[in-house]
Amino acid sequence: MSLALARLPSRTDYVEEVYRVLLDAISDGSLAPGERLTQEEIAEQLSVSRSPVLQALRLLKKDGLVQDAPGRGLLVTPLDPQAIGKLYEVRGALDALAARLAARRGTRIDPALIAAGRRASRGKDVKALIDADVAFHHALYEASGNPLIAQSAQTHWVHLRRVMGAVLQASGSRDAIWDEHQAIAEAVKAGDAELAAQLVEQHTDNARRNLLERLGEVLAERSA
């Protein structure tokens, strides 16, 4: 494992922190799909004992983000384009429902979220770009007034962050993504439920198509 992880501040319980550090590294591609993980190296780099690392890895395995490696040990779960496509189908349905409900309530999505996303799209910080995208969609879920939408979507976003991290480094559609987000926000604010849902469906389909296309290129490059 070649990743350089930052040491954690001194305290007694590190499981959540170790989990978050590894989740972010897997999500932004710093820990690449298929990369082997060792408790000893992670513990050394984070300056913690092996116990919280072991527990964090168990949580990541439960989430499907790491899996048993051939022989022994663990590795970052390889990306599966077919599974990602199915995740986008579910996400599209949830997001469309959220947009429709939010528009019926006439909710206003904070324009600062879109401004922050546009700033992130001009930078090179992939984690910031992913976080901005997730923040917009979670604002949409909150605007719907139905907390079950966010709860249902949370599991899927853990995996969607991974594919975003794998492909957004070289994406040429960052500005278009935030143009689509702004159009959705305007339809929600205007109370046009059907337009908002339609725009979300188009946005999700564009994201699915673009990300899967780029993911295929990334996987081909890694296997070459």
Side-chain angles (χ1 to χ4, degrees):
M1 186 176 66
S2 60
L3 176 67
L5 300 173
R7 292 190 175 189
L8 295 175
S10 177
R11 52 173 295 178
T12 57
D13 181 11
Y14 292 102
V15 176
E16 184 175 344
E17 288 87 346
V18 173
Y19 173 86
R20 179 57 56 185
V21 168
L22 294 176
L23 176 62
D24 287 343
I26 292 171
S27 297
D28 68 18
S30 299
L31 281 174
E35 185 166 351
R36 281 184 174 268
L37 304 172
T38 63
Q39 295 176 37
E40 295 82 1
E41 186 173 359
I42 294 171
E44 180 180 355
Q45 291 199 33
L46 295 179
S47 191
V48 298
S49 69
R50 291 175 56 185
S51 178
V53 174
L54 175 61
Q55 294 180 62
L57 288 173
R58 285 175 175 169
L59 292 173
L60 291 166
K61 185 176 181 181
K62 182 179 179 180
D63 290 339
L65 298 173
V66 304
Q67 64 184 45
D68 292 327
R72 58 173 298 181
L74 296 170
L75 55 79
V76 179
T77 303
L79 290 169
D80 180 351
Q82 185 175 8
I84 294 298
K86 292 178 180 178
L87 281 174
Y88 267 93
E89 290 177 352
V90 176
R91 173 192 149 181
L94 289 171
D95 284 15
L97 174 60
R100 187 175 286 111
L101 293 175
R104 288 173 182 168
R105 301 175 72 212
T107 313
R108 176 178 175 271
I109 295 176
D110 189 351
L113 290 172
I114 297 173
R118 290 193 183 279
R119 287 195 300 271
S121 71
R122 295 191 291 269
K124 296 182 179 180
D125 187 339
V126 175
K127 182 180 182 300
L129 184 59
I130 294 173
D131 288 347
D133 194 287
V134 173
F136 173 83
H137 286 275
H138 277 276
L140 185 62
Y141 303 151
E142 184 175 351
S144 74
N146 186 337
L148 294 179
I149 295 177
Q151 294 175 23
S152 300
Q154 181 60 35
T155 300
H156 307 305
W157 272 102
V158 170
H159 296 278
L160 292 173
R161 281 169 58 97
R162 289 192 67 208
V163 71
M164 292 171 69
V167 304
L168 286 181
Q169 292 95 331
S171 175
S173 59
R174 294 179 175 185
D175 289 338
I177 290 172
W178 287 97
D179 289 342
E180 293 171 6
H181 284 168
Q182 183 166 350
I184 292 167
E186 290 173 353
V188 167
K189 182 179 178 181
D192 193 331
E194 293 312 308
L195 177 59
Q198 179 183 347
L199 290 172
V200 164
E201 290 172 349
Q202 292 174 352
H203 171 68
T204 305
D205 188 58
N206 289 340
R208 178 189 60 80
R209 185 176 60 254
N210 291 334
L211 289 175
L212 288 180
E213 180 180 346
R214 177 57 188 154
L215 177 58
E217 295 172 357
V218 169
L219 294 178
E221 291 170 1
R222 288 176 178 169
S223 63

